[in-house]
Amino acid sequence: MAEVVQRRIEERIPELEQLERVGLFTKKEVKSIIKRATALEYKLHRLIINKDDFIAYIQYEINVLELIKKRRAHIHYQFKREEIEYPIIHRINSVFRRATNKWKDDIQLWLSHVAFCKKWATKGQLSKVFSAMLAIHPDKPALWIMAAKSELEDRNSSESARHLFLRALRFHPDNKKVYQEYFRMELLHAEKLRKQKKELEKAEMDLGEYEFSPEILDGKLAEVVYRDATEKIKGAEFVLSLLNIAAIFDFTKEFQDSILQDLQTKHTEDSATWDFMAKRELEAPAVGEELQTAKGRASDISRREERCCQVYEEGLKSLNTEPMWSCYVAFCLERVKRKTSVHELKEKRQERLLAVLQRAHDSSLLKEDYYKIWLQILLSSGDAEGAATVAMAATQRYSQSVAVWSLSLQTLMQLGRGDLGRLFQEALALISPKESLPLWLLQVQWSATNQSPEETEAMFKRGLLSAVAAVAMEMKERYLDWSYTSGGYKKARKTFISLHESRPFSKSFFTRMIQIEKEQETPKMSNLRDYYERALQEFGCSDDDLWLEYINVELGPRGQPENCGKIHWRAMKFLEGTSVERFISKYTLLQTGHM
């Protein structure tokens, strides 16, 4: 190993001599580089090699390159690059190759090599890196796209980029992203050729030596890609993504019309087609002098929106589905959110949205999320009766949705609806018990302010019987809180005594009772000890803070400090895992007065 390392170091001598001779590094710095490089080389030639050692080696060499670059700029010396930088770059590439051969699955390592090649202008090496990487990771479409883009942008080779995309499609024949980028590449290639031809014509040069195929200049290769892609991948959204790419290029007007024709003939059963065609009406060019005033502009916008709505209505005649209605509602909602100073336009937009929401609901095709928006609009406009009707209708449409029931019940609570008790019972009967906690909490909030103490207590007792542990624990805590608020300390203690034997327990149940006891004028230590002992029975194996709180109470004015030793001994016996170490460190801080 020592001989190999020595040979590697000797190979560096010519470049290091040049660095010293031209004044980029001092003799001392050269010696430091040799010392550091020797240590790094030894790590790379051990029997058991580590990836971090390779990364450290590469990073050190890159840092040297960066330093050389800065020193050159400082002393304005730009010669002997072949003798100084090139050997270092070659060495880094060699170490990268060794690392990627060893850890083939590490994508980040491959990408680091790619980034290095791009930064230090080793374009020939870049193609080799991509080729090796794709041979091992042909299952990753993003790498194929990256490699093809590199060929087009870094090496200016559209032929190589095309070849890579075609290879990528053999492995990923149904990948949308590969087709989209291949389509974009062909259009970019056509645009680049058009610019070249224009420049040559401008310079009045003979075009005889150059071949500019009219088909390629018009983007016919992109059309071939489009036809192949749309045969393999169905759906209007994909066709629209290709149309959006084509729209970036100003020479594709006819091609765009062809894609639109395909959309209108082959994808009329897709809501995305109708959505796109409707929104196109907004982009129609405006005419007339009325655009000079705010009212005139508002009138023009209103007419455009009406045309959009006509397209949606036409679409609903043949495609009365939830996605179609969702597109229509989303469009109306987006227009309502747009700011306008013209009151008539604002009102018209809101009326249109409410009408579309109502019709979608009547068709039982309104999405769950839109009921919330509908209720917010009705409440903000002061239509309490309409909001109550929609709230009830939403619960009938989505009778097993916790979110819909919560929203509807909150709305009805806000409106002061009288029959909420019955509705809560109905909701809890329909909803899965595992998801019912938000409804129980909402019922607690409502019952505490709107029902008699007897009815509220009965509601809490029903909640305590829940088979879902999370519901039972939360209701236990809320019951204790409510008892203290409504009946004071005696009622809270009575509630605690009635519940402290029935599982499941939460830590908050015990700590709340401890807090209530401490709030009294003369808290009883016997009660506090009882609460802590019961809490520690349940949580003493993992909760170090509970033990420390107990010790703190005994150290207080009403406690017995002599009990602290026993509590500490028990804590060390009961606690498990990392909680023991936390307890020891916190207890030490407590003893030294730092807690």
Side-chain angles (χ1 to χ4, degrees):
M1 183 171 76
E3 291 177 2
V4 175
V5 172
Q6 188 61 33
R7 190 171 72 248
R8 299 280 188 205
I9 297 300
E10 286 173 2
E11 287 171 359
R12 292 170 176 263
I13 290 171
E15 75 203 49
L16 293 171
E17 285 177 345
Q18 287 291 352
L19 282 168
E20 188 180 347
R21 188 178 299 124
V22 301
L24 289 169
F25 283 2
T26 64
K27 191 171 185 178
K28 188 179 178 181
E29 287 172 331
V30 168
K31 282 183 179 179
S32 174
I33 289 172
I34 292 170
K35 185 179 178 181
R36 179 71 176 137
T38 304
L40 291 167
E41 286 285 358
Y42 269 110
K43 286 182 179 180
L44 294 198
H45 292 88
R46 291 187 295 197
L47 285 174
I48 300 171
I49 54 176
N50 189 329
K51 184 173 26 175
D52 291 337
D53 293 334
F54 277 81
I55 293 168
Y57 186 106
I58 290 163
Q59 190 58 57
Y60 180 74
E61 292 284 18
I62 290 172
N63 290 343
V64 171
L65 272 177
E66 293 284 1
L67 186 56
I68 291 169
K69 186 179 177 181
K70 286 179 182 177
R71 295 272 177 93
R72 282 184 178 279
H74 184 66
I75 66 171
H76 306 290
Y77 182 83
Q78 304 300 331
F79 306 103
K80 294 190 179 290
R81 290 186 182 278
E82 293 84 355
E83 296 172 41
I84 296 173
E85 277 94 340
Y86 287 10
I88 300 173
I89 291 169
H90 176 74
R91 189 160 54 246
I92 293 170
N93 279 323
S94 176
V95 176
F96 261 125
R97 277 196 299 275
R98 281 180 62 194
T100 50
N101 283 338
K102 175 68 178 172
W103 295 283
K104 293 182 173 68
D105 294 333
D106 191 336
I107 298 292
Q108 193 54 52
L109 197 58
W110 286 103
L111 295 179
S112 297
H113 195 183
V114 168
F116 171 77
C117 292
K118 283 188 175 184
K119 183 169 183 180
W120 294 96
T122 54
K123 291 180 181 177
Q125 185 68 27
L126 188 58
S127 292
K128 292 177 184 176
V129 173
F130 272 121
S131 182
M133 179 170 63
L134 291 171
I136 294 161
H137 297 285
D139 59 323
K140 294 177 175 60
L143 297 182
W144 287 101
I145 293 167
M146 192 185 295
K149 279 187 173 181
S150 174
E151 288 294 328
L152 185 67
E153 294 167 8
D154 299 324
R155 302 195 68 211
N156 202 22
S157 174
S158 55
E159 193 61 42
S160 299
R162 187 178 296 115
H163 180 64
L164 279 166
F165 274 121
L166 290 170
R167 282 180 61 201
L169 288 170
R170 289 179 204 162
F171 289 98
H172 308 281
D174 302 320
N175 189 277
K176 292 181 182 179
K177 191 67 180 171
V178 173
Y179 267 117
Q180 286 165 352
E181 294 305 323
Y182 184 17
F183 182 69
R184 192 195 307 273
M185 186 278 294
E186 291 294 2
L187 289 171
L188 280 167
H189 176 57
E191 185 181 50
K192 185 181 75 174
L193 290 178
R194 290 171 75 91
K195 284 180 180 177
Q196 285 179 0
K197 186 182 178 187
K198 190 176 179 181
E199 290 296 325
L200 290 170
E201 286 173 347
K202 195 175 178 181
E204 297 182 353
M205 291 179 66
D206 183 16
L207 301 180
E209 315 173 12
Y210 304 95
E211 289 185 13
F212 291 105
S213 167
E215 289 81 8
I216 294 175
L217 290 172
D218 291 338
K220 296 298 181 186
L221 286 174
E223 290 186 32
V224 172
V225 175
Y226 167 78
R227 299 294 169 204
D228 185 46
T230 49
E231 280 177 18
K232 297 269 179 63
I233 301 168
K234 305 298 180 186
E237 283 189 12
F238 179 63
V239 176
L240 286 168
S241 71
L242 297 180
L243 177 59
N244 289 333
I245 293 168
I248 299 168
F249 302 89
D250 55 11
F251 62 90
T252 59
K253 183 74 176 67
E254 289 182 12
F255 187 22
Q256 289 178 55
D257 292 340
S258 170
I259 295 173
L260 280 171
Q261 190 65 34
D262 282 352
L263 267 176
Q264 292 170 331
T265 54
K266 298 177 183 177
H267 300 282
T268 52
E269 296 303 307
D270 196 319
S271 59
T273 300
W274 290 101
D275 192 39
F276 176 78
M277 297 306 294
K279 286 175 181 175
R280 280 188 82 224
E281 295 297 328
L282 287 173
E283 299 164 11
V287 289
E289 297 179 1
E290 62 178 11
L291 300 183
Q292 301 300 318
T293 63
K295 275 200 170 184
R297 286 191 293 273
S299 175
D300 179 61
I301 290 168
S302 180
R303 278 198 297 272
R304 291 173 190 232
E305 288 175 0
E306 286 297 334
R307 289 200 296 270
C308 293
C309 292
Q310 286 170 15
V311 176
Y312 281 116
E313 295 292 346
E314 190 66 32
L316 286 167
K317 288 177 185 175
S318 59
L319 195 66
N320 192 22
T321 62
E322 186 179 291
M324 188 67 214
W325 278 108
S326 295
C327 289
Y328 197 180
V329 172
F331 168 76
C332 294
L333 183 61
E334 188 268 332
R335 301 313 295 178
V336 164
K337 286 179 180 177
R338 284 182 174 266
K339 291 182 180 179
T340 176
S341 58
V342 181
H343 184 68
E344 292 82 1
L345 180 60
K346 191 176 181 180
E347 276 194 347
K348 192 173 184 180
R349 284 172 171 173
Q350 185 159 309
E351 285 172 14
R352 184 192 297 127
L353 173 60
L354 289 171
V356 172
L357 286 166
Q358 183 64 56
R359 288 172 57 206
H361 167 71
D362 293 342
S363 303
S364 297
L365 295 170
L366 185 62
K367 271 176 71 176
E368 185 179 323
D369 298 343
Y370 288 127
Y371 280 100
K372 182 178 181 180
I373 294 161
W374 194 359
L375 284 170
Q376 285 171 347
I377 293 169
L378 291 170
L379 289 171
S380 65
S381 61
D383 187 357
E385 190 179 336
T389 306
V390 170
M392 292 303 299
T395 58
Q396 290 169 11
R397 172 85 173 88
Y398 294 99
S399 60
Q400 294 183 332
S401 168
V402 179
V404 167
W405 271 109
S406 296
L407 176 66
S408 299
L409 290 167
Q410 280 173 344
T411 304
L412 295 170
M413 282 167 65
Q414 191 177 333
L415 297 171
R417 184 73 176 256
D419 60 342
L420 275 168
R422 178 186 61 79
L423 290 172
F424 273 113
Q425 295 306 312
E426 186 183 332
L428 290 167
L430 291 166
I431 296 296
S432 165
K434 290 180 182 177
E435 299 175 352
S436 64
L437 181 57
L439 296 184
W440 280 108
L441 297 179
L442 206 58
Q443 189 174 10
V444 167
Q445 181 188 335
W446 171 77
S447 182
T449 53
N450 293 279
Q451 288 188 303
S452 66
E454 293 77 17
E455 288 174 313
T456 303
E457 194 157 9
M459 180 271 300
F460 276 118
K461 287 177 178 176
R462 287 197 302 274
L464 293 172
L465 297 173
S466 173
V468 180
V471 173
M473 286 192 294
E474 189 66 35
M475 291 301 284
K476 200 175 285 186
E477 292 169 33
R478 299 296 175 112
Y479 188 13
L480 182 62
D481 248 338
W482 174 81
S483 298
Y484 184 52
T485 307
S486 62
Y489 172 74
K490 285 185 179 179
K491 185 170 178 63
R493 179 155 169 76
K494 185 181 176 183
T495 301
F496 178 81
I497 290 168
S498 70
L499 298 175
H500 67 38
E501 295 292 349
S502 57
R503 287 183 171 80
F505 293 118
S506 67
K507 181 185 170 183
S508 302
F509 174 66
F510 294 104
T511 54
R512 179 63 183 129
M513 193 61 221
I514 290 166
Q515 186 186 345
I516 290 168
E517 186 70 47
K518 286 179 180 178
E519 285 172 5
Q520 306 313 303
E521 284 185 20
T522 54
K524 291 184 180 178
M525 275 306 298
S526 57
N527 286 348
L528 283 171
R529 287 190 187 104
D530 178 51
Y531 305 148
Y532 273 113
E533 290 295 339
R534 289 183 181 282
L536 289 168
Q537 280 178 13
E538 300 297 325
F539 308 103
C541 292
S542 58
D543 199 316
D544 49 292
D545 287 332
L546 206 53
W547 290 101
L548 287 162
E549 285 173 26
Y550 193 6
I551 291 170
N552 259 324
V553 168
E554 290 291 3
L555 289 171
R558 297 178 183 277
Q560 296 177 355
E562 60 268 23
N563 290 343
C564 294
K566 291 178 185 176
I567 298 169
H568 178 270
W569 180 82
R570 287 170 59 205
M572 294 298 292
K573 189 177 176 183
F574 275 87
L575 287 168
E576 297 171 355
T578 55
S579 55
V580 181
E581 295 170 17
R582 286 199 304 271
F583 175 75
I584 292 168
S585 61
K586 288 177 183 177
Y587 185 70
T588 306
L589 290 169
L590 182 66
Q591 284 183 311
T592 55
H594 291 90
M595 258 189 85

